[in-house]
Amino acid sequence: MKKGLFYTLIQKLAKELALCLGSLLFFTFYFGITISNLGPSMTFGLFLLPITIALIHVFSFFLIPEYLFKQRYLWFGIYTLYTIIISIFLITLSSFYGFIFINSLETFNSDFLLTKNLYLIIIGVYMLVLLTSLFSAYRESYKMHLRNQDLQFALLNGELQLKQEELSYLKMQIHPHFLFNTLNTIYGSAIAKKQETPELILKLSNLLDYILYQTKKSLVPLQDEIEHLQDYLALEKLRHGSSLKIHTSLPENRKDIKIAPMLFLPLLENSFKHGKTNLGNAFVDLRIEVKGDLISFSLKNSKAEKAANSNIQSSGIGLQNIKKRLILLYPNTHSFQIEDEEEFFLVKLEIQTKTA
């Protein structure tokens, strides 16, 4: 800790020495531009150096950062006026003693005194103060810009983390719900000792692989989502047999467009949960169309008698989670509608995405 403090102190001293040396060189050439002997101008610059360094510190480290950058313009103007009045008096006093000292030395040419007046001296001092203050203001502004960028990045990173945590939580809610219904299907098939039971288990295995691994990705190819919709439909078809009519219209080989995983599957599962699937006229009609970067999802299913007086939008957690995920993943680039008709439910979902 002491070592770090020592290095910090050395750096500050080096900056102050560099500032003093630069100011002295400026005065030497500014006042000695018309004479060959630079000794008097350097000596005169030494008299002006204290007030000049003080002015630089007042403007660069106090007035500009504390008042100008904080938009306290009235106080900045008042304190600047006070500083100018006091500094003019001190510059005059320093110049007076500087002239007396140079005049007392016989080694210096008196021509130096005859070519300088107070007006030019004040301009020279404030020219140096202005240049230094502008550089300091630019440096401070750049630091503020970097701090704002870091703050914006931290806020954005925090929002993304919150969004990711919420999405993960929503997925965790969806998966047990889906698995519970599917395992019930396999259990019923096993009790009945149906030959389709091994195939049901294989389809479920594919779906589990998709849920456990693919849904960890932020985006998956649309074709992967469609294939697992087909696996789920196969599970339900084996479960219900000829009592359920399934119609599909799905695009093929659409790996060029990507979508967030597990958006369509809960909707399809919900259609079987609330649909009429125990009679011969039960149906599920699934259609997905891709036009450019627009994905249109349409799902229509027959309505169970017990659901005639119920509201599908308020039942279960699946639809609520889908709505939340859509808001998080596709803000202002999706439309989601549910039509509750007398004999069927109709779900329409449109997502504006980008092709890969």
Side-chain angles (χ1 to χ4, degrees), residues 69-97:
F69 281 172
K70 293 182 179 180
Q71 300 180 353
R72 300 165 67 182
Y73 301 123
L74 177 61
W75 288 108
F76 175 77
I78 293 173
Y79 286 134
T80 299
L81 181 61
Y82 287 162
T83 302
I84 291 174
I85 294 173
I86 295 172
S87 64
I88 289 176
F89 170 75
L90 294 176
I91 292 170
T92 303
L93 192 64
S94 299
S95 301
F96 175 75
Y97 283 106

Side-chain angles (χ1 to χ4, degrees), residues 155-209:
L155 290 174
L156 181 61
N157 190 44
E159 290 177 359
L160 290 175
Q161 287 181 351
L162 288 174
K163 181 183 286 188
Q164 190 62 38
E165 289 175 2
E166 186 168 355
L167 287 173
S168 299
Y169 173 70
L170 293 175
K171 288 180 182 179
M172 287 173 64
Q173 286 183 308
I174 293 172
H175 297 169
H177 184 215
F178 166 72
L179 290 175
F180 177 77
N181 290 342
T182 307
L183 286 172
N184 275 344
T185 299
I186 295 177
Y187 176 76
S189 178
I191 291 295
K193 298 181 180 180
K194 293 182 179 180
Q195 295 181 353
E196 298 87 353
T197 302
E199 188 174 352
L200 286 171
I201 295 174
L202 180 61
K203 296 293 185 184
L204 178 60
S205 176
N206 292 335
L207 287 171
L208 283 175
D209 177 75

Side-chain angles (χ1 to χ4, degrees), residues 17-73:
L17 288 174
L19 181 61
C20 292
L21 182 60
S23 300
L24 186 58
L25 290 175
F26 174 82
F27 286 139
T28 300
F29 289 100
Y30 176 75
F31 294 124
I33 194 170
T34 59
I35 59 178
S36 58
N37 185 8
L38 297 179
S41 60
M42 179 177 290
T43 304
F44 189 72
L46 287 172
F47 279 87
L48 295 175
L49 193 60
I51 180 60
T52 303
I53 298 300
L55 281 173
I56 290 173
H57 281 75
V58 168
F59 278 98
S60 299
F61 302 110
F62 180 67
L63 292 180
I64 291 177
E66 293 297 325
Y67 293 95
L68 184 61
F69 281 172
K70 293 182 179 180
Q71 300 180 353
R72 300 165 67 182
Y73 301 123

